[in-house]
Amino acid sequence: ELNATEETPMAGELLRDLLTEFRKEVEICVSLDHPNLVKFYGYTQEDPYEKSKGTGKILHLRIIQELMRGGALDHLLYTEKWAPRLVQTLKMSKDIANAMVYLHAIGDTARDPIIHRDLKSPNLLLVEYPPKDDVPVVKITDFGLARQKDVRDDEEMEDFRASLAGSEAAAEQARRTQMMTGCGTLYWMAPEVLKGDVYNEAVDVYAFAMCMWEMVAREVPWQSVAAVEVPFKVAIESQRPVRYFG
C-alpha cells in the first residue's frame, strides 16, 4: 500500500511517480497466472471512507491479493525459528523455481521475459503455517520491481557504481536505506547488477540460490559481513556466503 497527499512538498511529481510505478506493477500482476505466484484480485486508488468524509485529498494505492496464512519465509525462519526439513526445503525450492521459470518463459509468448529482480525470503509467502502443512506451498509476491528483459534503470545503476567507488556519502545513504535499491535488496543481488552491467533473467537465478541458502543455513546471506562490504565481496572478489555446519 502506498499513501500520499496533495499537500506534501513536490506533491505533483511524487503522485505521478507513485502512480506510474503502481500501474506498472498492476499491469504485470494482471497478466500473470501460476499456482506459485500470489493471486491478484484487484486494486484501488482511493479510500471510500476518506472520500465519504469529503476530504478527497488522500491517495491510497492498494493491490488486493489472496491471503497467505503461512506468512513470509523470512519471518518463519528468523522470528519463528522454523527449521524446515530437507524434504520441505526441496519442495519450497521447487515451487520457487517453477514460478521463476514461468516468468522467464513468458518470452515464448508475445512479450519479453519478466525478471522479478527482488527474489528474497520476505517475498516468498507460504499458503499455510508450516506445522499445519507438512508439504508447504510457497508463492512469490511483490512485482513492484519486476521488469521485462533488457529494460535498465541507468540512474539506479549509478548508485551502485558510486557505492563501489567507495564513496562515503553513498555508503551512508546505503545504511540509511538499509541497502534497498531500485533493483532489489543487496544481500540477494547478482554480481552483474552490483557492477552496473546489463543483466538478464540470470539475476533471478542468483537470488533463487541465495533463498535456497537461507533455507538450509537459516540466516540471511552475508549476515556476519558489514553491508557496505558486500558489493566488494560479491562483485569484485567473486565471493559467496559460507556457512560451516558442525
Side-chain angles (χ1 to χ4, degrees):
E1 178 182 337
L2 299 173
N3 298 331
T5 73
E6 295 175 0
E7 298 173 355
T8 54
M10 301 176 67
E13 182 177 353
L14 171 63
L15 292 177
R16 281 194 298 273
D17 290 345
L18 286 175
L19 284 169
T20 297
E21 292 304 311
F22 178 73
R23 286 166 181 163
K24 284 181 182 178
E25 183 169 2
V26 168
E27 287 174 2
I28 289 176
C29 289
V30 167
S31 66
L32 301 177
D33 183 18
H34 189 275
N36 294 117
L37 297 178
V38 176
K39 292 184 184 300
F40 171 84
Y41 290 135
Y43 70 95
T44 63
Q45 294 186 188
E46 296 179 351
D47 189 326
Y49 177 71
E50 294 290 345
K51 193 171 183 180
S52 68
K53 293 194 301 184
T55 60
K57 292 184 177 181
I58 299 180
L59 180 67
H60 294 274
L61 306 179
R62 295 186 177 95
I63 289 179
I64 304 166
Q65 297 177 306
E66 68 176 309
L67 175 64
M68 303 292 287
R69 293 182 177 83
L73 180 60
D74 67 320
H75 176 78
L76 294 169
L77 292 176
Y78 310 129
T79 302
E80 299 287 337
K81 303 300 182 183
W82 178 45
R85 294 179 289 110
L86 177 60
V87 66
Q88 293 175 316
T89 297
L90 293 175
K91 171 59 169 60
M92 291 188 291
S93 299
K94 182 179 179 181
D95 287 350
I96 301 164
N98 285 339
M100 183 172 60
V101 168
Y102 167 80
L103 293 173
H104 297 171
I106 285 178
D108 294 335
T109 61
R111 60 180 181 178
D112 292 326
I114 290 177
I115 307 173
H116 187 279
R117 304 203 312 168
D118 201 18
L119 277 181
K120 57 185 179 182
S121 55
N123 287 338
L124 302 175
L125 307 183
L126 276 71
V127 173
E128 298 290 347
Y129 190 70
K132 296 181 180 179
D133 192 351
D134 194 50
V135 185
V137 177
V138 175
K139 299 190 180 188
I140 297 175
T141 190
D142 194 351
F143 288 85
L145 297 181
R147 292 291 185 273
Q148 288 182 302
K149 185 177 179 179
D150 294 332
V151 174
R152 295 186 66 208
D153 296 300
D154 292 332
E155 291 182 2
E156 295 169 357
M157 292 299 99
E158 288 301 322
D159 292 338
F160 285 110
R161 294 191 180 100
S163 66
L164 287 174
S167 164
E168 201 57 42
E172 179 58 30
Q173 177 63 22
R175 282 190 287 270
R176 287 200 301 269
T177 58
Q178 297 182 343
M179 304 310 292
M180 288 293 294
T181 76
C183 287
T185 310
L186 178 73
Y187 302 107
W188 291 264
M189 273 187 200
E192 57 267 39
V193 177
L194 290 169
K195 290 188 288 188
D197 293 341
V198 175
Y199 56 84
N200 56 28
E201 54 267 53
V203 301
D204 284 347
V205 178
Y206 178 92
F208 166 65
M210 293 298 103
C211 292
M212 290 186 66
W213 191 89
E214 281 187 275
M215 287 185 275
V216 174
R218 296 195 294 282
E219 65 180 41
V220 176
W222 302 110
Q223 178 176 280
S224 60
V225 177
V228 293
E229 297 179 15
V230 174
F232 296 94
K233 290 186 175 294
V234 175
I236 306 302
E237 299 178 353
S238 298
Q239 292 190 31
R240 299 295 178 264
V242 176
R243 177 75 147 81
Y244 295 100
F245 301 90

